[in-house]
Amino acid sequence: MRDILLGVNVDHIATLRQARGTSYPDPAHAAAVAEHAGADGITIHLREDRRHIQDRDVYVMAKTIQTRMNLEIAVTDEMLDIACEVKPEYVCLVPEKREELTTEGGLDVAGNLAKITAATERLADAGIKVSLFIDADKKQLDAAKETGAPYIEIHTGAYADAENDIEMKAELERIREGVQYAHGLGLIVNAGHGLHYHNVKAIAEMPEIYELNIGHAIIARAAIDGLEKAVRDMKRLMLEARQA
Ligand SMILES: CC(=O)[C@@H](O)[C@H](O)COP(=O)(O)O
Ligand SMILES: NCC(=O)COP(=O)(O)O
């Protein structure tokens, strides 16, 4: 069975920097450390409100990342223009609400099919691999396939935020069914949001999953153990789950 890949999201290195408006810590530096520790890719979310990752970070990391950049953006002309100028290897289209604390639901691809298909085609024409951040919902999975995007990222937030074991097991089953269904459609299936050291294995063991994008939990652990160890520990848990 093939190994599962880890995309490390360094947004919250930038959150620490923005808290004081200093020049440190630099997410570009964190990305280099994460790659040295075994990250297979670096994910950054350039939000419209620039609460953490700044435009400067995107342009700098486009030059410094040695693995590959997965740039998360909302489906707006401003963000699509930046993506087509920077040309990261991957763009993941995500929903955004300015008032949200973090990404809440998945993209409503079914309800915005023409708009998301047009954005997907524009990015693909720029040589970018497109992923759609969606819930494990068959209507959304079918719509994602229809857009022509080769990748999806299943939103694991409801699983991560489950309030009890019954709810967690139900969310896990919903994700498992969605992952299998999407794989059956020929989509390359990633997953992410809210994954941490105690809930990642149940997701990582799903053989159809290509990559997990994990940020907040790794950066939080890095504050205690250091980033290199935080990344290595997460990668080890994922590989143990896949080889079990
Ligand atoms: C799309 C996603 O799940 C992550 O990129 C998440 O958005 C991290 O950024 P925030 O913590 O700012 O939501
Ligand atoms: N798309 C998920 C991601 O990049 C990281 O999300 P999180 O681990 O910070 O919740």
Side-chain angles (χ1 to χ4, degrees), residues 69-146:
M69 181 192 288
N70 172 36
L71 177 62
E72 293 180 335
I73 55 170
V75 189
T76 66
D77 290 341
E78 177 198 20
M79 290 300 160
L80 291 169
D81 289 348
I82 292 171
C84 289
E85 183 186 359
V86 171
K87 290 185 174 45
E89 183 156 347
Y90 296 92
V91 161
C92 184
L93 298 177
V94 303
E96 245 181 62
K97 291 191 222 99
R98 285 178 186 273
E99 66 280 2
E100 68 187 2
L101 181 61
T102 183
T103 303
E104 289 167 354
L107 206 55
D108 180 13
V109 183
N112 298 279
L113 193 58
K115 178 182 178 185
I116 293 170
T117 300
T120 298
E121 288 171 352
R122 181 180 173 194
L123 293 165
D125 288 348
I128 298 167
K129 297 170 192 164
V130 180
S131 179
L132 304 179
F133 189 74
I134 56 176
D135 291 325
D137 171 294
K138 284 189 178 177
K139 188 174 74 169
Q140 297 298 342
L141 296 169
D142 286 333
K145 179 68 177 177
E146 211 172 325

Side-chain angles (χ1 to χ4, degrees), residues 9 11-12 45 47 51-52 72 94 101-103 133 192-193:
N9 183 315
D11 289 351
H12 297 301
H45 184 178
R47 283 180 165 269
R51 66 180 69 172
H52 40 53
E72 293 180 335
V94 303
L101 181 61
T102 183
T103 303
F133 189 74
H193 196 91

Side-chain angles (χ1 to χ4, degrees), residues 19-238:
R20 285 283 179 89
T22 53
S23 62
Y24 62 88
D26 189 334
H29 179 193
V33 171
E35 290 181 312
H36 181 75
D40 300 290
I42 298 297
T43 293
I44 50 178
H45 184 178
L46 180 65
R47 283 180 165 269
E48 290 182 275
D49 64 11
R50 277 50 172 205
R51 66 180 69 172
H52 40 53
I53 292 292
Q54 303 301 304
D55 298 56
R56 166 264 180 204
D57 300 324
V58 179
Y59 289 90
V60 165
M61 281 193 260
K63 292 181 169 43
T64 59
I65 285 173
Q66 300 297 306
T67 53
R68 68 288 196 296
M69 181 192 288
N70 172 36
L71 177 62
E72 293 180 335
I73 55 170
V75 189
T76 66
D77 290 341
E78 177 198 20
M79 290 300 160
L80 291 169
D81 289 348
I82 292 171
C84 289
E85 183 186 359
V86 171
K87 290 185 174 45
E89 183 156 347
Y90 296 92
V91 161
C92 184
L93 298 177
V94 303
E96 245 181 62
K97 291 191 222 99
R98 285 178 186 273
E99 66 280 2
E100 68 187 2
L101 181 61
T102 183
T103 303
E104 289 167 354
L107 206 55
D108 180 13
V109 183
N112 298 279
L113 193 58
K115 178 182 178 185
I116 293 170
T117 300
T120 298
E121 288 171 352
R122 181 180 173 194
L123 293 165
D125 288 348
I128 298 167
K129 297 170 192 164
V130 180
S131 179
L132 304 179
F133 189 74
I134 56 176
D135 291 325
D137 171 294
K138 284 189 178 177
K139 188 174 74 169
Q140 297 298 342
L141 296 169
D142 286 333
K145 179 68 177 177
E146 211 172 325
T147 67
Y151 294 79
I152 59 164
E153 182 170 329
I154 298 273
H155 190 324
T156 54
Y159 160 70
D161 296 340
E163 290 180 1
N164 55 59
D165 280 352
I166 294 169
E167 192 182 322
M168 181 175 279
K169 287 190 171 71
E171 284 302 328
L172 190 59
E173 203 42 45
R174 191 168 70 90
I175 291 168
R176 193 189 315 282
E177 287 171 10
V179 164
Q180 290 170 351
Y181 183 77
H183 189 261
L185 290 175
L187 292 164
I188 301 171
V189 186
N190 299 335
H193 196 91
L195 297 177
H196 55 62
Y197 295 81
H198 306 290
N199 69 9
V200 69
K201 280 194 156 183
I203 301 291
E205 70 185 15
M206 296 179 189
E208 302 87 355
I209 291 181
Y210 179 75
E211 174 173 290
L212 297 182
N213 285 300
I214 305 173
H216 185 265
I218 289 175
I219 304 306
R221 175 71 66 97
I224 308 297
D225 289 349
L227 183 56
E228 179 149 1
K229 186 177 188 311
V231 172
R232 288 192 193 284
D233 286 354
M234 183 60 79
K235 188 83 184 278
R236 177 175 46 77
L237 288 173
M238 290 167 55

